[in-house]
């Protein structure tokens, strides 16, 4: 059974003005709290109860056909309020896709520069480390030589037959002309462990107010949803439109605007999508090689690179063995809990770099350090895959590429300060936290067999040399994940009474 959207308030009659789309109704004008029916469900959860998933990329060549397709999808879109049943669907749009759907240029110009420029410009590729064999020109999807992806559909289901039926229902809505499916990204059935054998998805930020007004959380709501105060107490920039541009009263008001405006960004966010091929054999070969050289068990060498034991237990909590008998503790801190030097969890480990907790300036070990860390958090929503069909179809996949990998997805309201900062400044940076020539051993960008992984020990540390690059970038893009009302607004198309002045 497909999820149903929550009932909307009664539509207000605006006389001769353009009527609202069916079932839309006027947006609440108070601006307080989170309207869960307006937030796409992927923001609130990774759909762990729906183990099957498929991602579809579509190109829009005809604006009217694209808007008709989007309008047809609206009844299937899953919000946080409708996160139940056996199916879910969420919709994300690229900047080019929004232009193809004829969103006014004045609105397009107000999106973030990173989103507008895209993931594949030379400057952005250099910043993210997408160069050499990882360059966008080599990608299986999303690159300059691949078909353009304007719309990214995220489909989830409780079983494989249900996913097939769900996919067929969505594909039946694709117009015969003007919209084309250009990439299909299957996933494996959701498992408790990743391809390397480690528990994943443990350290997710706790977001204040995301699951209800007053709900506890450490990270400000505006870090993940546009239109709300972020960690700095301000609202991140997003498209604001004159009230006259919304005659159907679909959108929320913008309380921070200098003139009466409505907020196209409210309850929306940015979705980062990146596909990685993962060389599992090379990872474990490297672990066994250095186990023989150091005298440590191979599982411990692997855990040192990951930053957790396979069960998910942190090396800071249990430095010498995988404590499978106890629930995973995710409330620890590195400095506060006695691991400032990385003798338990190495400073260069993936988990410690992706979420340093209290270990960086200012004043490591203090609440100030934690607060700075919380300004760079991500909500991860990725799924694994066993085969990348677009790679095979193109005839450019290697044996490793055609095997296991990850469709990395994350939600963040500020691409520059969140995703790009984490990738560039924490993961790729060989001098992270005072290190030298030490990129992230799992997801960091570096020349093959050139990185060093320092493994602190007392009295003598080890240095694991010739670090391979286990993950290869195979595709990606930046997308806007609108609120449900904003989706309706975009699907309704331009009209004479909603033109946006520049």
């Amino acid at each position: 059974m497909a999820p149903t959207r929550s009932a909307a308030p009664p539509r207000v009659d605006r006389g001769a003005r353009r009527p609202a789309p069916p079932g839309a109704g006027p947006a609440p004008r108070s601006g307080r709290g989170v309207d869960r029916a307006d937030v796409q469900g992927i923001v609130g959860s990774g759909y762990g109860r729906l183990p099957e998933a498929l991602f579809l990329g579509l190109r829009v060549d005809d604006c009217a056909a694209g808007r008709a397709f989007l309008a047809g999808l609206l009844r299937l879109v899953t919000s946080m309020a409708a996160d139940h049943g056996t199916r879910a669907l969420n919709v994300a749009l690229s900047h080019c896709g929004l232009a193809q759907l004829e969103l006014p240029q004045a609105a397009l110009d107000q999106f973030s520069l990173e989103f507008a420029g895209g993931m594949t410009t030379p400057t952005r590729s250099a910043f993210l480390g997408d160069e050499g064999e990882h360059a966008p020109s080599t990608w299986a999807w999303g690159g300059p030589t691949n078909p353009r992806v304007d719309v990214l559909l995220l489909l989830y289901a409780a079983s494989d037959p249900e996913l097939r039926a769900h996919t067929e229902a969505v594909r039946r809505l694709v117009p015969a002309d003007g919209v084309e499916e250009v990439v299909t990204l299957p996933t494996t059935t959701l498992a408790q462990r990743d391809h390397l054998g480690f528990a994943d998805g443990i350290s997710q930020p706790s977001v204040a107010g995301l699951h209800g007004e007053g709900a506890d959380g450490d990270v400000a709501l505006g870090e993940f949803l546009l239109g709300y105060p972020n960690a700095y107490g301000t609202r991140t920039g997003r498209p604001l439109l004159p009230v006259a541009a919304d005659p159907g009263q679909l959108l929320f008001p913008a309380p921070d605007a200098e003139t009466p405006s409505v907020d196209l960004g409210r309850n929306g966010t940015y979705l980062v999508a990146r596909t990685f091929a993962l060389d599992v054999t090379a990872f474990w070969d490297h672990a066994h090689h250095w186990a023989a050289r150091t005298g440590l068990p191979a599982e411990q060498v692997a855990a040192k690179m990951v930053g957790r034991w396979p069960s998910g237990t942190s090396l800071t909590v249990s430095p010498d063995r995988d404590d499978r008998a106890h629930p995973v503790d995710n409330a620890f801190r590195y400095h506060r809990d006695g691991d400032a030097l990385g003798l338990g969890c190495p400073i260069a480990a993936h988990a410690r770099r992706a979420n340093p907790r209290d270990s960086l300036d200012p004043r490591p070990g203090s609440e100030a350090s934690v607060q700075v860390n919380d300004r760079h958090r991500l909500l991860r929503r990725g799924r694994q895959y066993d085969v990348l069909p677009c790679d095979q179809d193109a005839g450019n996949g290697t044996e490793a590429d055609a095997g296991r990998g990850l469709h990395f997805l994350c939600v963040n309201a500020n691409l520059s300060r969140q995703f790009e900062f984490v990738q560039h400044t924490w993961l790729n940076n060989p001098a992270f936290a005072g290190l030298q020539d030490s990129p992230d051993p799992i997801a960091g960008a570096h020349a093959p067999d050139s990185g060093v992984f320092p493994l602190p020990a007392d009295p003598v540390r080890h240095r694991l040399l010739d670090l391979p690059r286990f993950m290869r970038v195979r595709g990606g893009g930046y997308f806007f994940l609108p609120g449900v009302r904003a989706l309706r607004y975009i699907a309704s198309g331009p009209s004479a009474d909603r033109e946006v002045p520049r």
Side-chain angles (χ1 to χ4, degrees), residues 17 19-20 84 116 126 175 250 331 363 399 445:
R17 307 177 82 175
H84 53 77
L250 292 174
R363 302 188 302 281
E399 183 178 350

Side-chain angles (χ1 to χ4, degrees), residues 143-466:
T145 61
N146 309 123
R148 190 182 69 242
V149 177
D150 297 324
V151 182
L152 185 66
L153 303 182
L154 311 176
L155 287 74
Y156 302 85
S159 67
D160 184 62
E162 189 75 15
L163 180 62
R164 290 198 299 269
H166 188 22
T167 304
E168 291 172 5
V170 169
R171 282 174 169 159
R172 283 196 296 269
L173 296 174
V174 179
D177 298 305
V179 179
E180 180 183 0
E181 182 181 322
V182 294
V183 64
T184 305
L185 301 174
T187 72
T188 58
T189 300
L190 189 63
Q192 293 184 344
R193 298 199 178 192
D194 63 22
H195 286 312
L196 296 177
F198 287 78
D200 193 22
I202 297 170
S203 184
Q204 297 279 28
S206 173
V207 185
L210 181 61
H211 293 278
E213 191 168 1
D216 291 337
D218 301 319
V219 183
L221 181 62
E223 293 294 292
F224 302 105
L225 279 182
L226 295 169
Y228 299 88
N230 57 29
Y232 293 91
T234 62
R235 289 176 171 83
T236 301
R238 70 270 182 217
L240 304 181
L241 308 175
V243 172
D246 183 25
Q249 290 191 303
L250 292 174
L251 305 175
F252 288 85
D256 55 329
E258 296 181 358
T259 59
S261 303
V262 291
D263 194 338
L264 183 66
R266 186 178 173 94
N267 292 328
T269 187
Y270 292 109
L271 178 77
V272 178
R274 283 167 75 80
T275 294
F276 297 98
L278 178 62
D279 195 335
V280 177
T281 299
F283 174 83
W284 282 105
D285 283 350
H286 192 69
H288 281 285
H289 170 77
W290 285 104
R293 297 286 297 271
T294 61
L296 298 173
E299 183 182 76
Q300 188 169 12
V301 173
K304 292 284 187 179
M305 290 192 285
V306 172
R308 289 183 181 270
W309 293 100
S311 70
T313 299
S314 171
L315 282 85
T316 293
V317 176
S318 180
D320 299 319
R321 64 184 180 90
D322 193 350
D323 193 359
R324 295 179 173 89
H326 294 86
V328 173
D329 178 7
N330 195 44
F332 68 91
R333 295 182 183 176
Y334 295 111
H335 273 244
R336 184 195 65 191
D337 295 335
D339 198 15
L341 299 179
L343 295 177
C345 179
I347 293 171
H350 171 68
R352 186 159 181 164
R353 301 172 77 121
N355 180 16
R357 299 175 186 258
D358 68 336
S359 60
L360 299 181
D361 288 332
R363 302 188 302 281
S366 70
E367 286 301 317
S369 177
V370 175
Q371 289 174 5
V372 169
N373 181 73
D374 286 346
R375 294 169 185 167
H376 307 289
R377 300 302 306 277
L378 306 171
L379 285 171
R380 291 171 291 129
R381 301 293 188 239
R383 292 286 178 111
Q384 298 180 94
Y385 70 86
D386 268 340
V387 64
L388 195 58
C390 50
D391 232 4
Q392 293 183 330
D393 294 343
N396 61 357
T398 66
E399 183 178 350
D401 293 336
R404 292 164 285 188
L406 170 69
H407 298 306
F408 172 85
L409 301 175
C410 76
V411 169
N412 53 173
N414 190 312
L415 290 168
S416 174
R417 181 166 55 80
Q418 292 171 273
F419 167 70
E420 291 194 349
F421 179 93
V422 171
Q423 183 66 47
H424 175 268
T425 307
W426 287 351
L427 302 187
N428 291 349
N429 184 6
F432 171 81
L435 299 172
Q436 293 182 353
D437 196 26
S438 301
D440 186 296
I442 308 298
H446 60 93
D449 303 322
S450 67
V452 176
F453 182 71
L455 207 164
D458 188 11
V460 180
R461 70 171 181 170
H462 301 288
R463 299 179 77 240
L464 281 56
L465 307 176
D466 303 326

